[in-house]
């Protein structure tokens, strides 16, 4: 049931790349059909998924290289399901958003589908080495997509992306190999490795490797320096894939392998992880405010919003982790619509400079519908109630405040700063008086607006009916929290016991809140 998620885009990539005599339009149509088939298959998986079960479903196993501990093993839980759905949706939208007259279109669409296939496989892989291979498959295709079809400084940005991602993969491989070797597991199967307890020192070292590896991929401060150059240089479809999908490999890896394999070390590191999240949120917001390029501003905003995922993972309550999983989907949808609209503005107006853009909301000579959709995307990113961004961030804050109040308040401040830079963007871009020297702009066709309509509909619908998003990850989040060592509660109970009076009279009673009582084994 899960193999088609990999095969449909892969077969589409092969057919488009090697079918003789295909025109650019035929290649685009074939890519849309292939990505659309994967999206429909994902929707069918939603209908078959058991919401009451927090574990893995749809298990597939095929021996591959058993002597090396490498097997083709796939499975899916609520976290994987949401990530696969996000990948399928953004892939189809990215293909639709591609320029009508691309150079070398067959290669472009083949590489894009190959990236989608590898990402989908990584989200459902249940073998550490298989995850690593699928994680690395997207490296070369994305390098080519940036280096060939990118914009300014594309060669530099593509090389920087390649080096950072290669380092991420190397650190992750070292962490996986060390985990299997030290645990004495017979193969790289996720559940086989997860069942072994390691000394805390080794857990800390291995978790540290994975934190840096996935921190580069997300990226989080200070491993973020590749992001603004890469996102800005990439074409609109590739930027949507990078921010909307590829960054989620990092957050997925943190939760699945960092938290899943080393819960004891994660519990010890969690205060520092919450602080790391707060720093990333504030840095991303403050840096975005200083930007003059609207695409670079959106790119920096991604750093802050990924920090909310780390904050939810660090808090490790049901609400916080459910919010973190939902935030991954919310962020992907919002970032995709913003990058798409920025690409439309650049195509029609010819610039992304805030000092030049003005008055695009003008109903006669401007881009009124694009501006209206940009306002919606900015409001969703700023966490305005009624939109999907508010729901996911509120769940994270509600779940993390009791555990890390200071870091949570810093995250709330980051949300306020997000509103600041989007007000700056929208005020300078959409409002004001349109410069007569640059109007009139070419009309935006329905085909160009369709991706934004789809994403805007999801932003509104999931904001009004958040349970349609949240429910898919709730059982998985609860299962992950159940396996987490309750360090915080144990400390509270110990402190409560220490405050008991040493002598109690025969007629005296002692009462404690139930929440502070230690749990009996």
């Amino acid at each position: 049931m899960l193999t088609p998620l990999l095969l449909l885009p892969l077969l589409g990539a092969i057919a488009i790349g090697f079918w003789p005599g295909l025109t650019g339009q035929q290649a685009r149509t074939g890519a849309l059909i292939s990505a659309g088939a994967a999206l429909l298959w994902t929707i069918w998986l939603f209908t078959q998924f058991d919401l009451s079960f927090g574990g893995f479903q749809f298990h597939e196993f095929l021996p591959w290289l058993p002597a090396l501990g490498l097997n083709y093993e796939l499975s899916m839980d609520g976290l994987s399901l949401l990530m696969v759905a996000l990948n399928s949706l953004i892939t189809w939208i990215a293909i639709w958003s591609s320029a009508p007259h691309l150079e070398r279109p067959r290669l472009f669409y083949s590489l894009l589908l190959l990236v989608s296939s590898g990402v989908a496989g990584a989200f459902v892989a249940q073998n550490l080495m298989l995850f690593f291979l699928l994680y690395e498959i997207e490296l070369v295709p994305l390098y080519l997509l940036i280096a060939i079809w990118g914009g300014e400084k594309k060669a530099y940005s593509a090389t920087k992306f390649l080096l950072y991602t290669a380092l991420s993969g190397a650190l992750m491989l070292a962490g996986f190999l060390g985990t299997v070797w030290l645990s004495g597991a017979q193969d790289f199967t996720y559940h086989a490795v997860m069942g072994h307890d390691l000394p805390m020192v080794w857990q800390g070292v291995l978790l540290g490797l994975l934190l840096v590896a996935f921190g580069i991929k997300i990226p989080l401060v200070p491993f973020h320096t590749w992001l603004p150059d890469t996102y800005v240089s990439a074409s609109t479809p590739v930027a949507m894939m990078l921010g909307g999908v590829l960054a989620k490999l990092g957050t997925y890896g943190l939760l699945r392998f960092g938290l899943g394999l080393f819960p004891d070390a994660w519990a010890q590191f969690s205060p520092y992880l919450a602080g790391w999240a707060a720093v990333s949120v504030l840095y991303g917001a403050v840096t975005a405010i200083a930007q003059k390029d609207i695409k670079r501003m959106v790119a920096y905003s991604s750093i802050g919003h990924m920090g909310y995922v780390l904050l939810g993972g660090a808090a490790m309550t049901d609400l916080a982790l459910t919010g973190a999983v939902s935030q991954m989907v919310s962020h992907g949808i919002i970032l995709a619509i913003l990058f798409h609209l920025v690409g439309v503005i650049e195509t029609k107006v010819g610039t992304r400079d805030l000092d030049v853009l003005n008055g695009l909301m003008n109903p006669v000579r401007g881009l009124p519908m694009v501006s209206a959709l940009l306002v919606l995307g900015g409001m969703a990113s700023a966490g305005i109630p009624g939109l999907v961004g508010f729901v996911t961030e509120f769940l994270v804050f509600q779940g993390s405040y009791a555990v890390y109040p200071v870091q949570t308040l810093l995250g709330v401040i980051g949300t306020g700063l997000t509103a600041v830079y989007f007000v700056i963007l929208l005020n300078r871009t959409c409002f004001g008086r349109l410069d007569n020297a640059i109007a009139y702009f070419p009309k935006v066709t329905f085909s160009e607006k369709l991706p934004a309509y789809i994403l805007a509909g999801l932003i509104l619908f999931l904001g009004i009916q958040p349970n349609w998003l949240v429910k898919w990850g709730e059982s998985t989040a609860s299962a992950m929290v159940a396996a987490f060592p309750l360090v915080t509660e144990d400390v509270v109970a110990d402190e409560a016991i220490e405050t008991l009076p040493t002598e109690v009279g025969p007629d005296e009673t002692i009462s404690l809140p139930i929440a502070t009582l230690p749990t009996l084994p």
Side-chain angles (χ1 to χ4, degrees):
M1 295 177 72
L2 301 181
T3 297
L5 295 172
L6 290 74
L7 281 184
L8 290 171
L10 179 61
L11 293 177
I14 294 172
I16 292 169
F18 294 100
W19 196 281
L22 278 183
T23 65
Q25 183 59 43
Q26 289 172 334
R28 181 176 185 271
T29 302
L32 286 172
I33 292 173
S34 178
L39 179 58
L40 291 175
W41 189 266
T42 305
I43 293 172
W44 180 77
L45 288 175
F46 273 95
T47 66
Q48 304 301 307
F49 191 81
D50 184 1
L51 282 172
S52 63
F53 182 60
F56 290 92
Q57 306 175 37
F58 313 135
H59 187 73
E60 296 181 15
F61 180 84
L62 180 66
W64 190 5
L65 294 172
L68 298 178
L70 175 59
N71 295 304
Y72 179 80
E73 187 171 3
L74 308 179
S75 196
M76 174 183 282
D77 62 358
L79 173 59
S80 302
L81 178 63
L82 289 174
M83 294 301 99
V84 166
L86 182 66
N87 174 58
S88 300
L89 174 66
I90 301 300
T91 300
W92 189 89
I93 288 178
I95 293 170
W96 187 279
S97 301
S98 59
H101 303 294
L102 278 172
E103 295 183 6
R104 305 166 72 178
R106 296 173 62 178
L107 179 60
F108 178 86
Y109 294 120
S110 295
L111 293 175
L112 210 58
L113 288 171
L114 185 59
V115 169
S116 180
S117 176
V119 171
F123 284 139
V124 296
Q126 292 299 300
N127 184 284
L128 301 188
M129 194 57 63
L130 179 62
F131 175 85
F132 167 76
L133 293 175
L134 294 168
Y135 182 93
E136 291 290 281
I137 277 179
E138 45 82 19
L139 180 57
V140 174
L142 276 172
Y143 170 81
L144 295 174
L145 286 167
I146 298 167
I148 297 175
W149 293 276
E152 184 181 356
K153 298 172 60 177
K154 59 185 180 181
Y156 167 79
S157 300
T159 302
K160 196 172 184 179
F161 167 79
L162 181 69
L163 293 175
Y164 270 82
T165 307
L167 176 61
S168 170
L171 292 172
M172 182 179 63
L173 178 61
F176 285 170
L177 291 175
T179 301
V180 173
W181 180 59
L182 291 170
S183 66
Q186 299 301 311
D187 56 29
F188 288 92
T189 302
Y190 176 74
H191 290 286
V193 176
M194 188 171 59
H196 291 269
D197 292 326
L198 294 175
M200 183 60 68
V201 173
W202 286 117
Q203 283 198 39
V205 172
L206 296 170
L207 177 58
L209 288 172
L210 296 184
L211 287 174
V212 176
F214 294 123
I216 293 172
K217 191 71 174 180
I218 293 173
L220 297 168
V221 176
F223 310 116
H224 68 285
T225 56
W226 65 269
L227 177 142
D229 293 326
T230 303
Y231 281 26
V232 170
S233 296
S235 62
T236 297
V238 178
M240 293 168 70
M241 290 293 292
L242 282 169
V245 179
L246 271 298
K248 309 308 176 293
L249 277 176
T251 50
Y252 174 86
L254 279 182
L255 298 180
R256 176 71 73 216
F257 302 106
L259 170 62
L261 296 180
F262 310 110
D264 297 318
W266 186 277
Q268 299 297 324
F269 284 20
S270 58
Y272 308 102
L273 297 179
W276 190 12
V279 170
S280 294
V281 168
L282 294 177
Y283 176 87
V286 171
T287 310
I289 292 174
Q291 303 307 309
K292 296 295 185 180
D293 184 328
I294 58 175
K295 193 173 185 180
R296 188 175 289 269
M297 181 182 287
V298 173
Y300 272 110
S301 74
S302 178
I303 299 174
H305 285 84
M306 287 290 91
Y308 297 133
V309 179
L310 181 59
L311 178 61
M316 273 310 297
T317 63
D318 282 346
L319 271 181
L321 192 56
T322 301
V325 174
S326 303
Q327 171 69 9
M328 292 161 68
V329 180
S330 169
H331 174 264
I333 295 172
I334 294 171
L335 203 66
I337 191 173
L338 291 174
F339 273 133
H340 174 73
L341 294 172
V342 168
V344 172
I345 291 173
E346 183 180 13
T347 301
K348 302 301 179 181
V349 182
T351 182
R352 303 190 307 259
D353 191 342
L354 278 178
D355 293 333
V356 177
L357 292 167
N358 205 11
L360 296 185
M361 190 68 83
N362 187 299
V364 178
R365 297 178 296 158
L367 306 175
M369 184 54 68
V370 171
S371 298
L373 292 169
L374 187 63
V375 170
L376 177 68
M379 292 171 64
S381 185
I384 301 300
L387 304 176
V388 68
F390 169 78
V391 176
T392 57
E393 291 176 15
F394 182 77
L395 284 173
V396 171
F397 296 152
Q398 182 76 5
S400 65
Y401 181 77
V403 186
Y404 300 116
V406 175
Q407 294 91 328
T408 302
L409 290 175
L410 291 175
V412 173
I413 293 173
T415 300
L417 293 174
T418 301
V420 170
Y421 63 74
F422 271 111
V423 166
I424 294 172
L425 184 153
L426 298 173
N427 183 55
R428 296 187 184 179
T429 302
C430 301
F431 302 102
R433 186 172 183 178
L434 188 62
D435 187 352
N436 292 328
I438 59 175
Y440 295 81
F441 300 124
K443 295 298 181 183
V444 182
T445 65
F446 176 79
S447 177
E448 291 172 314
K449 290 184 285 191
L450 180 60
Y453 286 150
I454 295 173
L455 295 169
L458 287 173
I459 289 171
L460 287 168
F461 176 75
L462 296 178
I464 296 171
Q465 290 288 346
N467 191 51
W468 281 73
L469 169 61
V470 173
K471 67 180 181 180
W472 303 102
E474 274 186 309
S475 58
T476 298
S478 298
M480 296 176 74
V481 171
F484 189 69
L486 302 179
V487 174
T488 303
E489 284 78 356
D490 292 342
V491 171
V492 171
D494 292 341
E495 292 177 349
I497 292 173
E498 289 174 0
T499 61
L500 290 174
T502 55
E503 296 183 1
V504 182
D507 298 327
E508 297 178 17
T509 59
I510 302 174
S511 62
L512 284 174
I514 295 177
T516 65
L517 292 176
T519 304
L520 294 176

